[in-house]
Amino acid sequence: MGVFDLFTTAKAPTSVNFASGGKHALDTVAQQAAAAAARSSAHFPHPVLDPRVHLLPSVLTFPTAVRNAFPTYSAFLHPTNYLSFYTTHADSFQSAIAICIGFSVYVYVMQEITGNASQVDGLWTFLPVIYTTHFTLFSTGTFTWPAPRLLLLWALHVLWSTRLTYNAIRRGMFKKGEEDYRWPLLRASMNRITWEIFTITFIAPAQNFLLAITALPAYVLSLLARPEYFANQPTRPTTQLTPADGILALLLITNLTVQFIADHQQQLYQGFKRGLDITCTKPITLPADKLLLLQGGTSPAGVVTKNGKAAQQHPDNVPLYHGFTNGDKKRGFVTRGLWAWSRHPNFACEQTTWWIFYAYTVITFLPPSTLIDLGTTPAGASKIGAVTSKLAAKVAEKIAVPASLVSPPWWTYIFNYAVLGAVSMNILFLASTAYSEGVSAGKYPAYASYQKRVGMFLPVDTLLRGIYYWFVAPDNVRERIEAEVWGAEGSAEKKNN
């Protein structure tokens, strides 16, 4: 079978009249779903994972759907036409495309009016929830009560948005005129034409598109509510929660908690560096002796006892505020707590979030597994699954699907097109973080040592670097780098803060 055959053998389910009702209609639906499963079985565990069945047709027919809803230019002036388009489209992804286009236009226009490139930044904490809500409530052309797994996925998105919105408010990101510090630097590095091209291609549409496809897991799960799949449910139907759902939810909550701690440590440090509290609006309150040290003097706060003798500790190593020292302040960037194990622990958690959301599509279609199901029997592997399997087998026999192609490749159970959201986020964060680190390296002399000693995202990377510096690199090199990163006490201090 060639590459061309891969895109021609599977066909989308044909239309069926559901209005006739009765057992015959149900049988027709079951047979239709079974036919789709049989045609896609060589490549996909379920038809909803085949982008040719729903995703690509909705994208390709989007222009036609728009022309039908807005036959004249004047039709765009009537709000009721937009509501009609939203409620009568053939696929919920089509209205998601329209929403994405609307936000892209808004972002571009507002940036041109205000000159502020952080328009998407102000929407970042809300848009994934908007798209997920759309797919959760509106999947078959009418508003439907969501299945439990889809509802759980939506609730976790809301939890993610709540945490991120809180952190954005605390950092002042929603203040009028607030702009991410990187945009002016990037703008200054381009001429006017290049910046305009970058704006009209990446800042406005590409970022909005990225935020839209983060909701692809919800879209995939929502497709299972379509009538043609009533009799062709996956291994773990979305109508029933399983132990795997709870495990993923717990992982996400843990991940968000770690991210909250990382952001909290960063906020504490940024305030301390400016002599302010965590709100970055009020001066920090310190005992007089520590305040004297913070101002560059010596005081009893710096006196330590070693071998029965009192000695003045170096002012840069005395903990002053939540474990931070003058040395931390002079360094210019935080290296304590979670930031001692990852240069960007908050970004690492953010990227992990999208993989956890994606995992909900994986557990839905994976074959029964003791590891995943913890000894329980997935609903889809029981009565419904048995009926569907028989129907699929009969249809497969009629359309002459080769026996060797009935089972899809193993990797199709793990990877489906919903992974585009998580992968795209990884790429964006990698590029954005690399640019940010270039700025930091040029601003803070010790940042190069921080990059050598601590991994960008993964703590295991930091651990491996530690093994290298302790057992391979010369002692003087390790001591110099760790002193620049954590102060004269090195790794002993980093573990205590």
Side-chain angles (χ1 to χ4, degrees):
M1 176 176 288
V3 174
F4 179 75
D5 295 324
L6 178 64
F7 290 92
T8 56
T9 54
K11 298 180 181 179
T14 55
S15 60
V16 63
N17 182 12
F18 301 111
S20 58
K23 183 177 183 300
H24 176 71
L26 183 60
D27 290 342
T28 304
V29 172
Q31 291 170 4
Q32 177 184 346
R39 293 190 180 102
S40 296
S41 63
H43 311 294
F44 302 95
H46 195 279
V48 301
L49 300 181
D50 187 344
R52 298 163 297 179
V53 175
H54 296 290
L55 182 68
L56 293 181
S58 67
V59 173
L60 296 176
T61 59
F62 176 74
T64 302
V66 172
R67 285 195 297 269
N68 292 337
F70 305 93
T72 63
Y73 289 114
S74 60
F76 286 96
L77 302 177
H78 298 284
T80 55
N81 290 339
Y82 292 93
L83 180 61
S84 176
F85 175 80
Y86 183 75
T87 57
T88 60
H89 54 66
D91 191 286
S92 58
F93 200 79
Q94 288 188 337
S95 49
I97 295 174
I99 295 172
C100 182
I101 292 174
F103 276 114
S104 298
V105 172
Y106 167 80
V107 166
Y108 178 75
V109 171
M110 290 303 297
Q111 180 175 334
E112 290 300 301
I113 293 175
T114 65
N116 189 326
S118 281
Q119 303 300 322
V120 175
D121 300 338
L123 299 171
W124 194 277
T125 67
F126 307 110
L127 285 181
V129 176
I130 291 175
Y131 289 112
T132 301
T133 301
H134 164 65
F135 290 134
T136 299
L137 297 178
F138 198 22
S139 58
T140 62
T142 58
F143 286 99
T144 57
W145 184 254
R149 181 170 301 134
L150 196 53
L151 190 60
L152 174 61
L153 184 60
W154 171 83
L156 294 176
H157 270 82
V158 172
L159 188 62
W160 164 85
S161 175
T162 301
R163 190 217 65 81
L164 190 60
T165 302
Y166 168 75
N167 189 62
I169 293 174
R170 187 165 63 166
R171 292 178 56 192
M173 290 180 60
F174 294 131
K175 291 181 180 178
K176 185 177 181 180
E178 185 71 17
E179 186 177 36
D180 189 293
Y181 75 95
R182 290 168 293 188
W183 291 127
L185 296 175
L186 195 59
R187 187 188 296 118
S189 67
M190 302 179 181
N191 58 44
R192 179 63 182 272
I193 295 177
T194 304
W195 174 253
E196 286 299 325
I197 294 174
F198 183 70
T199 297
I200 205 169
T201 56
F202 175 77
I203 295 180
Q207 289 191 105
N208 274 286
F209 173 75
L210 172 61
L211 292 170
I213 64 174
T214 59
L216 279 176
Y219 173 68
V220 169
L221 297 185
S222 72
L223 292 173
L224 293 170
R226 287 174 171 261
E228 60 262 40
Y229 300 123
F230 284 170
N232 183 17
Q233 287 295 297
T235 307
R236 298 168 193 82
T238 57
T239 54
Q240 296 185 19
L241 296 180
T242 67
D245 292 289
I247 292 173
L248 289 178
L250 183 60
L251 283 175
L252 182 74
I253 293 172
T254 302
N255 183 63
L256 293 180
T257 301
V258 174
Q259 190 173 10
F260 176 84
I261 294 172
D263 285 331
H264 185 73
Q265 291 173 343
Q266 177 71 264
Q267 187 76 1
L268 276 173
Y269 174 77
Q270 292 300 327
F272 167 72
K273 189 169 71 169
R274 296 167 175 79
L276 304 173
D277 64 5
I278 192 170
T279 66
C280 291
T281 58
K282 301 177 182 178
I284 58 176
T285 302
L286 292 176
D289 54 351
K290 289 190 175 182
L291 185 61
L292 185 60
L293 276 177
L294 185 63
Q295 295 171 347
T298 59
S299 75
V303 175
V304 295
T305 301
K306 292 184 178 180
N307 300 324
K309 296 182 179 180
Q312 183 71 36
Q313 188 179 14
H314 194 288
D316 284 353
N317 296 331
V318 180
L320 301 176
Y321 181 73
H322 290 277
F324 294 121
T325 67
N326 263 332
D328 295 321
K329 178 182 178 181
K330 293 176 181 178
R331 188 182 307 110
F333 54 94
V334 61
T335 63
R336 296 187 180 275
L338 294 175
W339 301 81
W341 296 98
S342 170
R343 301 201 300 271
H344 305 279
N346 51 348
F347 290 174
C349 291
E350 183 69 11
Q351 294 175 79
T352 302
T353 294
W354 304 110
W355 284 100
I356 295 175
F357 287 153
Y358 168 71
Y360 275 96
T361 67
V362 177
I363 65 169
T364 300
F365 300 97
L366 274 178
S369 167
T370 302
L371 180 63
I372 296 176
D373 301 307
L374 301 181
T376 62
T377 302
S382 57
K383 184 176 180 180
I384 294 178
V387 172
T388 304
S389 298
K390 291 179 181 179
L391 286 169
K394 290 181 180 179
V395 176
E397 183 179 351
K398 289 182 179 180
I399 63 176
V401 176
S404 61
L405 297 179
V406 170
S407 297
W410 65 268
W411 59 266
T412 59
Y413 288 93
I414 301 175
F415 298 105
N416 59 72
Y417 62 81
V419 78
L420 289 174
V423 171
S424 298
M425 276 292 186
N426 286 165
I427 295 173
L428 177 68
F429 269 89
L430 184 61
S432 174
T433 303
Y435 181 80
S436 299
E437 290 209 330
V439 175
S440 297
K443 188 176 181 180
Y444 306 115
Y447 202 82
S449 294
Y450 187 46
Q451 289 176 305
K452 293 177 181 178
R453 183 60 182 84
V454 178
M456 179 180 282
F457 296 122
L458 302 178
V460 67
D461 186 7
T462 302
L463 182 62
L464 293 175
R465 292 166 189 249
I467 293 174
Y468 167 78
Y469 279 106
W470 274 96
F471 297 103
V472 179
D475 288 343
N476 63 323
V477 173
R478 174 183 60 80
E479 291 171 357
R480 175 182 59 80
I481 288 178
E482 292 193 346
E484 290 182 356
V485 175
W486 294 304
E489 299 298 325
S491 59
E493 280 194 4
K494 79 158 184 173
K495 294 180 180 178
N496 294 326
N497 292 283

